[in-house]
């Protein structure tokens, strides 16, 4: 096996822990003496049922998920959740409240409008989505079906470092890009959802954590595949789930537990983000437009003073083993995605290269 | 790596070619010198776009898919298709025609009823779903939106060894469990769908082959995730697709091409099925209830004369390296699933054991 691993700054699907990939490779043809790959196991057989149960138990432990929440392993990504949430949670109420913080919030808002009234109760559009609107500014409706926000915007690089308080109105959160990056108090949420492909595992798996009382109210009669009750009743096995993805996610959960859980991840994620943001504060060769207190620890976008140097910057990074640094087309410049699996060494290498490049070209 | 591979007769997720698993293990940490796993690649990056394009090209070649058909790589399994098909293909017409051949047809029929009128135009229920109803007996409606049938029933072990002719009414087929097991004339179909987890790759990937003119007629306004047009317009990248599953499916397609394509698979599948059925014809210790000409080449259910011996049979099989032979709970007895990746040696080992067991206990 060629072993020339790079530092992969992809916004997603993103880097996975090397130890997890190594274990998956070792177990590919024979999982624990079963003589089969996890890919080849019946989802209703005891081996795979054990893998799935362990993954759920580990996730519950890592996030301290209360007993009155169901954990679902679904398909369809956050995009399917953008539609399942209004279909299931509007419950005949007049409207739902959404906070608009950038590209991902926008997609959630657009999808929800097909199923009911949406009130945008706060928006950072006035400052080009470079901050997280303070809760005091949110025009919440006490009768809203739920309040939806996006915990981290991967394109803008804006992250909520606090959890909103919406009282009795269920709080719904797209946590796709910062789940498991720090501790959160799950009991403050009605529903948390996350595509797996950043901090969890392979694309094709979506985690939904839903409070019991929100299950079973889907209306108008939705396709069964889009009804949370279908999947709760079948314990995520209404039909064949993405078994291999669940297995890999389970390995990542074990890796997290071995490495100090989400509290340790948070410490390391802060340290990694600070390496980048502290350097950005010392230079005007690079620029990040986000308000300081709302800067994402998962995605760090930055532009070069002279965009004509972008290609050269990327080429030099690649030759030093750093990939996927090109910014999103809507923002330009660069973006370093530094999810859990990105080691400190990767960010150190990036900062060293940024300094070197700025010294040469600045 | 422990190398004690067994003969895995699971009905799905099912055995994959060993060569494919070996290659996936070898490439797990570093795909083609990229320094990343396929799991870690952006779905919009050139490496993964290349993998997806190659998988589609190989599938088109293997099945000789005409240019006026789209190939989609979706999520949600056949169960999502059970709902997407009526949502997209009813097109305001009065009803759709369904052929009822067993458990899977039943699920398709039940799901479709939520979206429109369903006419069961033929059913094998009169003989406990042990045969495929001849087309002459189908009460087809010339104005039906489409005709749906299940090419292979994994539980009953009944397979269509012929393709229905429905004239101008689009023919829709659940080919989940026998796709790529033999050549089919795609031009006879309006839509073919298949969950990947039998003859293609890991669960979590669903292949849809749809004729151009059937795209874009979804009604009433469905969730975008359930509209074929969404996925056709986005070339299966409306949101992150199940990337690793597509990569594995691509490796299986290459393995098929290297091994003579679907014509060679058909020859081998006939040989494997004959080994089992020819032996069953010589004994009354085991029994298969399916009409001879409709016996499945993918799933061979059989019962022991004395069901009290079932456990002992399974235990003996396991000790000889043969797993997943227990029959579906609705049928009882045994079931040997012998998809493309099951080698002839596996079926030979099974027949030898069946003879030995019958001689001891008969």
């Amino acid at each position: 096996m060629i072993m020339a691993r790079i530092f992969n700054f992809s916004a997603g699907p993103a880097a996975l822990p090397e130890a997890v990939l190594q274990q998956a490779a070792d177990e590919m043809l024979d999982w624990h003496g079963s003589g089969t790959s996890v890919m080849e196991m019946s989802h209703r057989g005891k081996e795979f049922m054990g893998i799935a149960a362990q993954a759920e138990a580990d996730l519950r432990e890592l996030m301290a998920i209360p007993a009155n929440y169901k954990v679902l392993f679904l398909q369809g990504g956050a995009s399917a959740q953008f539609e399942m949430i209004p279909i299931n949670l509007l419950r005949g109420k007049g409207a739902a409240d959404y906070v608009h913080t950038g590209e991902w919030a926008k997609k959630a808002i657009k999808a929800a409008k097909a199923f009911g009234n949406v009130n945008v109760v706060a928006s950072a559009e006035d400052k080009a989505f470079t901050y997280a609107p303070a809760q005091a500014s949110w025009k919440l409706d006490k009768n809203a079906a739920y309040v939806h926000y996006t915990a981290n915007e991967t394109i803008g690089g804006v992250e909520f470092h606090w959890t909103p308080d919406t009282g009795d109105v269920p709080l719904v959160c797209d946590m796709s890009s910062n789940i498991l990056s720090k501790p959160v108090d799950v009991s403050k949420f009605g529903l948390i959802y996350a595509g797996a492909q950043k901090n969890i595992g392979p694309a094709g798996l979506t985690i939904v954590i839903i409070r019991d009382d929100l299950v079973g109210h889907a209306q108008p009669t939705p396709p069964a595949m889009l009804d949370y009750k279908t999947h709760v009743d079948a314990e995520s096995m209404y039909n064949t789930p993405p078994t291999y993805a669940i297995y890999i996610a389970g390995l990542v959960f074990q890796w997290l537990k071995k490495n100090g859980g989400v509290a340790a991840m948070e410490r390391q994620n802060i340290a990694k983000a600070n390496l980048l943001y502290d350097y950005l504060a010392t230079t005007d060769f690079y620029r990040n437009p986000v308000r300081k207190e709302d800067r994402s620890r998962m995605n760090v976008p930055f532009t070069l003073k002279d965009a004509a140097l972008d290609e050269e910057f990327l080429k030099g990074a690649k030759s030093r083993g750093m990939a996927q640094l090109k910014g999103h087309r809507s923002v330009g410049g660069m973006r370093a995605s530094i999810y859990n699996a990105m080691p400190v060494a990767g960010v150190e290498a990036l900062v060293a290269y940024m300094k070197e490049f700025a010294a040469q070209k600045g």
Side-chain angles (χ1 to χ4, degrees), chain A:
Chain A
M1 196 182 298
I2 309 161
M3 278 300 314
R5 296 272 297 166
I6 59 164
F7 292 123
N8 173 12
F9 291 94
S10 172
L16 288 168
E18 193 170 319
V20 163
L21 294 173
Q22 188 61 61
Q23 186 175 345
D26 291 346
E27 297 178 346
M28 181 62 86
L29 282 94
D30 181 17
W31 181 84
H32 294 198
S34 66
T36 68
S37 173
V38 173
M39 282 185 213
E40 303 172 301
M41 289 176 183
S42 166
H43 56 301
R44 304 203 187 272
K46 78 174 185 312
E47 287 99 343
F48 184 75
M49 296 287 279
I51 289 171
Q54 186 67 48
E56 178 176 337
D58 286 340
L59 181 63
R60 284 186 176 276
E61 182 182 332
L62 283 162
M63 295 184 69
I65 300 171
N68 63 324
Y69 285 73
K70 293 284 189 292
V71 174
L72 300 176
F73 292 87
L74 304 182
Q75 300 185 57
S79 295
Q81 294 310 308
F82 294 162
E83 302 187 316
M84 286 180 76
I85 286 161
I87 287 172
N88 284 269
L89 266 54
L90 278 171
R91 295 166 294 153
K93 293 184 184 268
D97 287 350
Y98 277 71
V99 178
H100 191 3
T101 48
E103 282 299 314
W104 292 105
K106 187 171 150 192
K107 283 177 198 276
I109 290 165
K110 188 183 167 202
K113 281 182 174 167
F115 305 99
N117 293 319
V118 168
N119 293 321
V120 176
V121 295
S123 172
E125 195 165 11
D126 60 333
K127 291 183 180 163
F129 301 113
T130 58
Y131 71 103
Q135 191 178 334
S137 72
W138 298 12
K139 298 189 189 343
L140 293 173
D141 172 3
K142 268 191 296 196
N143 296 312
Y146 59 88
V147 181
H148 179 282
Y149 80 111
T150 311
N152 182 66
E153 287 281 356
T154 60
I155 293 172
V158 174
E159 184 172 3
F160 282 84
H161 297 296
W162 45 277
T163 300
D165 178 357
T166 53
D168 290 339
V169 180
L171 181 62
V172 174
C173 181
D174 178 355
M175 223 175 261
S176 293
S177 54
N178 69 352
I179 191 168
L180 291 170
S181 74
K182 60 184 177 184
V184 294
D185 181 351
V186 173
S187 73
K188 292 187 172 166
F189 296 85
L191 188 152
I192 292 168
Y193 65 102
Q197 65 271 18
K198 285 98 159 54
N199 270 328
I200 295 175
L205 171 66
T206 313
I207 305 278
V208 172
I209 302 166
I210 183 170
R211 210 174 59 210
D212 280 346
D213 61 290
L214 296 174
V215 176
H217 306 291
Q219 61 171 308
T221 312
M225 289 295 290
L226 300 187
D227 184 348
Y228 289 121
K229 190 163 189 304
T230 300
H231 301 292
V232 166
D233 288 351
E235 297 181 324
S236 300
M237 299 227 184
Y238 174 66
N239 67 335
T240 312
T243 50
Y244 195 75
I246 292 173
Y247 153 74
I248 297 284
L251 293 185
V252 172
F253 299 154
Q254 297 250 327
W255 175 85
L256 283 169
K257 286 172 66 178
K258 240 177 278 171
N259 287 280
V262 286
M265 285 300 125
E266 182 177 41
R267 286 192 296 276
Q268 179 168 295
N269 287 329
I270 290 173
K272 287 186 301 188
N274 283 352
L275 276 174
L276 266 165
Y277 289 124
D278 288 352
Y279 169 59
L280 287 171
T282 68
T283 176
D284 61 358
F285 188 82
Y286 305 100
R287 188 169 172 277
N288 171 297
V290 179
R291 186 167 68 171
K292 202 173 172 208
E293 54 268 46
D294 304 326
R295 285 176 168 177
S296 172
R297 292 176 194 142
M298 299 287 104
N299 313 92
V300 183
F302 58 90
T303 49
L304 275 60
K305 201 159 63 175
D306 179 2
L309 293 170
D310 282 4
E311 281 311 308
E312 197 177 341
F313 180 90
L314 287 167
K315 212 175 135 189
K318 192 151 193 189
S319 75
R320 283 161 181 79
M322 292 177 282
Q324 300 292 336
L325 282 162
K326 189 170 183 174
H328 190 269
R329 60 191 181 279
S330 65
V331 174
M334 307 296 148
R335 173 172 54 167
S337 294
I338 51 174
Y339 302 114
N340 284 349
M342 171 62 64
V344 174
V347 183
E348 287 170 346
L350 174 59
V351 172
Y353 170 60
M354 287 169 71
K355 287 179 181 170
E356 184 191 320
F357 190 85
Q360 274 175 20
K361 310 284 177 182

